[in-house]
Amino acid sequence: MKIWGISDLHLSFASNKPMDIFGDHWTDHAEKMANNWDSLISHDDIVLVPGDLSWAMKLEEASLDLQWIAARPGLKILVKGNHDLWWSGINKVRNFLDKSCIALQHDAYDIGEFVVAGSRCWSAPGSFDYTEQDEKIYKRELERLKLSLEHAQKIAPHKPIIAAIHYPPFTIKKDNTAFADLLEQYPVKICVYGHLHTQKSFQYAFEGVRNGILYMLLSCDYLNFKPRLVWPLKQSDELVYV
C-alpha cells in the first residue's frame, strides 16, 4: 500500500466553471489528472484529497464530479474545502458517495500504518488572505480540527496521524498558525494541505519537516496535475528541517 495525495481538483462536469480562465495550464486538467492518477495509483493504495473537489452548489449537482473521483483507483479520503458548497450534512454526503470514497468531518479513519484526521481549517491571523471577518470561522475550524485529531487518538491511540487539511497552517512568513500549533500537540507525523494556487501564492507554502511534522502542498496545479507520493517517501525527496 502506498499513500498518495492531490487536492483542489475543481471539477465541474455539471457546471460551467472552466478552470483555464486561470491559465492555459488548466486546459483539460481533469483529463490530465485522470491519466496521471490511473497510471500511478493501484486499487489498494490510499489517496488523500483535502478539499475543493467540485464547483457544484448542491450535492446532486456534484454527482458527475464525485463519479469521476470514484472511478479513479484507490481508496479516496475526502476533506471539505472552502469551495465545496455542495458538501451539506455529513450523513447525506456519505450516503451519496461511492464505497471507494471516505468523507472526513470531525472524525478520523484508520488506514493501517497511520490514522488519517482531516478538516477544512481556515485563514488564520498572519495568513495571506486573513481579515477580521474570518475570526469567527477561524476559531470554529480550530475546534473542528481538534475534534478530528482527538477522534484519531481514540480509534488508534498508538498510531501516528496524517492530517489532511485544506488551508495551509502557516503565516505569510511561514511561521506556525494556531492550526500548526494544534497539530504539534498530537502524534501527527505528516500534514498535507492545498488551497494555494499561482506562483504568487506558492511562495507562502512551507514544505519540509518542522517540529517533527512533514508538511506537503498538494494543490493539483502545483503538482502539474499529478498525484504526489506521500508515503513511503522517495529517496530523492529533499526535505527542509526547521
Side-chain angles (χ1 to χ4, degrees):
M1 180 193 77
K2 294 180 179 178
I3 304 172
W4 302 82
I6 188 167
S7 74
D8 299 79
L9 309 183
H10 288 294
L11 299 171
S12 59
F13 289 111
S15 56
N16 186 24
K17 277 282 194 176
M19 289 297 293
D20 55 11
I21 64 172
F22 300 108
D24 291 342
H25 61 296
W26 281 96
T27 301
D28 298 325
H29 81 287
E31 182 179 357
K32 294 176 187 176
M33 286 192 297
N35 290 336
N36 288 324
W37 190 319
D38 295 355
S39 66
L40 287 170
I41 296 170
S42 64
H43 287 283
D44 59 352
D45 287 343
I46 304 293
V47 187
L48 309 174
V49 193
D52 283 1
L53 314 177
S54 168
W55 279 114
M57 301 294 290
K58 297 181 180 179
L59 182 57
E60 291 74 17
E61 294 172 359
S63 178
L64 293 177
D65 300 334
L66 296 175
Q67 288 176 32
W68 182 96
I69 295 172
R72 309 276 69 80
L75 177 68
K76 282 75 67 173
I77 299 183
L78 313 179
V79 176
K80 184 179 182 180
N82 58 303
H83 289 298
D84 289 316
L85 302 181
W86 57 272
W87 189 305
S88 52
I90 187 58
N91 289 331
K92 187 176 180 181
V93 169
R94 286 172 175 163
N95 289 334
F96 199 81
L97 291 175
D98 182 79
K99 63 181 180 180
S100 70
C101 297
I102 304 295
L104 293 186
Q105 186 167 302
H106 307 164
D107 55 6
Y109 191 80
D110 190 340
I111 60 171
E113 188 172 354
F114 294 90
V115 59
V116 180
S119 191
R120 178 180 64 176
C121 299
W122 200 253
S123 294
S127 300
F128 74 97
D129 53 356
Y130 178 81
T131 68
E132 291 182 358
Q133 286 71 36
D134 292 307
E135 182 74 7
K136 183 178 179 180
I137 301 177
Y138 149 69
K139 290 182 176 179
R140 184 178 67 199
E141 290 296 322
L142 196 59
E143 289 301 313
R144 288 177 170 174
L145 177 58
K146 184 178 180 180
L147 286 173
S148 182
L149 293 167
E150 288 181 344
H151 191 263
Q153 281 204 305
K154 180 179 179 181
I155 65 172
H158 304 298
K159 292 185 179 181
I161 297 173
I162 296 178
I165 62 179
H166 182 63
Y167 277 80
F170 306 110
T171 70
I172 56 175
K173 297 181 179 180
K174 301 185 182 180
D175 296 326
N176 278 14
T177 66
F179 291 111
D181 288 341
L182 180 62
L183 295 176
E184 292 177 7
Q185 297 174 28
Y186 294 83
V188 176
K189 297 304 179 186
I190 301 173
C191 174
V192 296
Y193 63 95
H195 185 64
L196 300 178
H197 301 287
T198 75
Q199 292 300 321
K200 182 178 180 180
S201 293
F202 295 155
Q203 67 181 317
Y204 302 124
F206 171 77
E207 293 199 288
V209 179
R210 171 179 289 168
N211 297 330
I213 300 175
L214 170 61
Y215 292 94
M216 293 182 176
L217 175 61
L218 298 184
S219 299
C220 69
D221 49 328
Y222 178 73
L223 302 179
N224 197 25
F225 309 101
K226 181 179 179 180
R228 181 175 188 173
L229 184 62
V230 174
W231 189 265
L233 295 177
K234 295 181 295 183
Q235 290 185 350
S236 59
D237 283 343
E238 296 183 4
L239 302 181
V240 176
Y241 290 80
V242 177

